[in-house]
Amino acid sequence: ASLAQAADWRVDLIIFEDRNNRGGAPGEMAGPARAPESRDAIPLSDTARLSAAGIRMLPESDFGLQTQWNRLNNSQRFNPVMRLSWIQRDPPQRNGPRLRISHGPSFEIGRAMDPGGSRSIQQIEGVIALTLQRFLHLDLDLQWAEAGYGGEPMGFVLQEQRRMRSNTLHHVDSPRFGVITRIVRVGDG
């Protein structure tokens, strides 16, 4: 059976912090925190738009990666910060619905350059999208913001389009944070 014949896909996802990697690896240092491009992304709280896009957010009680969450939570090095689960009907080949992620404490950006032009961002901001071409793909454009020097927050970016194998645990990371995810066809377990 082809992957394209499936109608519904379930995504379980954890965003976690790497406590040991505050400064990033050489060549992967943080830059000024930015406001991620998310104009057309659907906020997780907008159930009407999510439903119209064929996406149903699942309650935390139905989270499918609880074992991985617990392992990260018991780790000295890693800290699980956010978890999401959703079912998506017929992911498109491209330009599909993007989920707007915004979680954690707030930071003001733009204060040093223009105190009147500052805006706040949250610790984790960005977008996630699932597409199904010949294979499943998860598009991640996320930023981890934290207090920086001189009052301006610094940001670590995780920006990747990753091919996903169904029913396989995947790990994607940046110097400061990462994502663990599993995508399964509904009915495959």
Side-chain angles (χ1 to χ4, degrees):
S2 165
L3 288 181
Q5 293 173 339
D8 291 338
W9 293 89
R10 178 190 171 118
V11 180
D12 289 287
L13 183 138
I14 299 171
I15 299 175
F16 65 91
E17 169 189 21
D18 183 343
R19 291 182 179 127
N20 288 356
N21 206 344
R22 296 269 178 204
E28 296 180 325
M29 300 303 287
R34 63 177 171 83
E37 174 53 49
S38 60
R39 204 171 341 170
D40 63 343
I42 305 169
L44 299 179
S45 60
D46 192 339
T47 54
R49 282 183 63 201
L50 289 168
S51 181
I55 296 172
R56 181 171 51 96
M57 300 306 295
L58 299 174
E60 277 201 30
S61 59
D62 199 18
F63 183 62
L65 297 178
Q66 191 62 47
T67 299
Q68 291 76 14
W69 180 271
N70 292 341
R71 284 183 184 153
L72 289 168
N73 203 34
N74 292 327
S75 165
Q76 294 283 327
R77 179 174 178 174
F78 301 108
N79 176 37
V81 177
M82 183 179 185
R83 57 181 156 194
L84 295 171
S85 296
W86 73 89
I87 293 178
Q88 185 166 340
R89 175 164 294 282
D90 294 325
Q93 288 188 3
R94 61 181 64 81
N95 299 326
R98 300 180 326 142
L99 300 178
R100 170 99 168 76
I101 306 302
S102 191
H103 181 81
S106 293
F107 298 92
E108 278 192 46
I109 58 172
R111 226 178 353 189
M113 303 297 259
D114 176 11
S118 68
R119 83 174 268 277
S120 70
I121 60 169
Q122 287 185 271
Q123 183 175 47
I124 301 169
E125 285 213 21
V127 294
I128 299 173
L130 177 67
T131 57
L132 177 59
Q133 299 158 23
R134 187 170 172 206
F135 301 100
L136 288 165
H137 287 86
L138 192 66
D139 295 342
L140 302 166
D141 185 3
L142 301 170
Q143 174 186 246
W144 177 279
E146 59 187 51
Y149 306 105
E152 283 294 312
M154 58 185 186
F156 293 90
V157 174
L158 191 160
Q159 192 172 40
E160 189 165 337
Q161 181 186 55
R162 175 74 63 96
R163 181 175 142 184
M164 300 278 156
R165 292 187 71 178
S166 176
N167 208 16
T168 301
L169 202 59
H170 292 271
H171 172 252
V172 183
D173 66 358
S174 78
R176 185 69 178 93
F177 72 111
V179 170
I180 295 175
T181 188
R182 181 172 48 220
I183 304 170
V184 297
R185 184 172 41 196
V186 174
D188 283 356

